[in-house]
Amino acid sequence: MKRAIPVVVLSIAGLVPVWLYEPSAATSTVQTTTPAPSTSSSSGSSGVVTGSTVNTEKGPVQVQVTFAGTRITAVKMLQQPNHPQTTAAVPKLVAETLEAQSADIDTVSGATIT
């Protein structure tokens, strides 16, 4: 019984900082307004859309998407941060974009930070 009281007191003392912890407000450098993308197209239903450059915490990102009619046929990263996590995540993100035929992708395992 003599050991139980110090163990309980020290456990509570150790848990108090965890209970009181509040994550810092995330400061993001992501651009909130994006200018209209530029489009170069040989016909009305096909073309290439180049997005504007967006500055992220890891560096600038710019994407080019190729369409054939309404289908996305290719996604190319024109600019991407030189970061191991980004380098590993980009192929997964491109594959998911082509599979979903949209930029509206919920989650990609292995590309959480990106």
Side-chain angles (χ1 to χ4, degrees):
M1 187 66 173
K2 290 181 181 181
R3 290 185 196 169
I5 294 173
V7 168
V8 170
V9 170
L10 292 173
S11 296
I12 292 172
L15 289 174
V16 167
V18 174
W19 289 326
L20 298 176
Y21 175 75
E22 291 182 28
S24 61
T27 56
S28 177
T29 57
V30 175
Q31 183 178 346
T32 56
T33 58
T34 306
S38 61
T39 305
S40 60
S41 164
S42 59
S43 68
S45 63
S46 299
V48 177
V49 177
T50 302
S52 60
T53 302
V54 176
N55 291 317
T56 68
E57 292 177 14
K58 302 216 183 302
V61 174
Q62 186 177 24
V63 179
Q64 184 180 63
V65 181
T66 305
F67 291 92
T70 59
R71 291 198 46 84
I72 298 173
T73 57
V75 177
K76 181 179 178 182
M77 296 292 290
L78 299 177
Q79 291 184 52
Q80 74 182 45
N82 186 16
H83 190 273
Q85 291 170 330
T86 303
T87 303
V90 166
K92 294 177 184 181
L93 292 168
V94 169
E96 286 293 320
T97 301
L98 292 172
E99 184 179 325
Q101 286 296 301
S102 171
D104 188 19
I105 301 168
D106 188 28
T107 57
V108 176
S109 179
T112 305
I113 294 175
T114 307

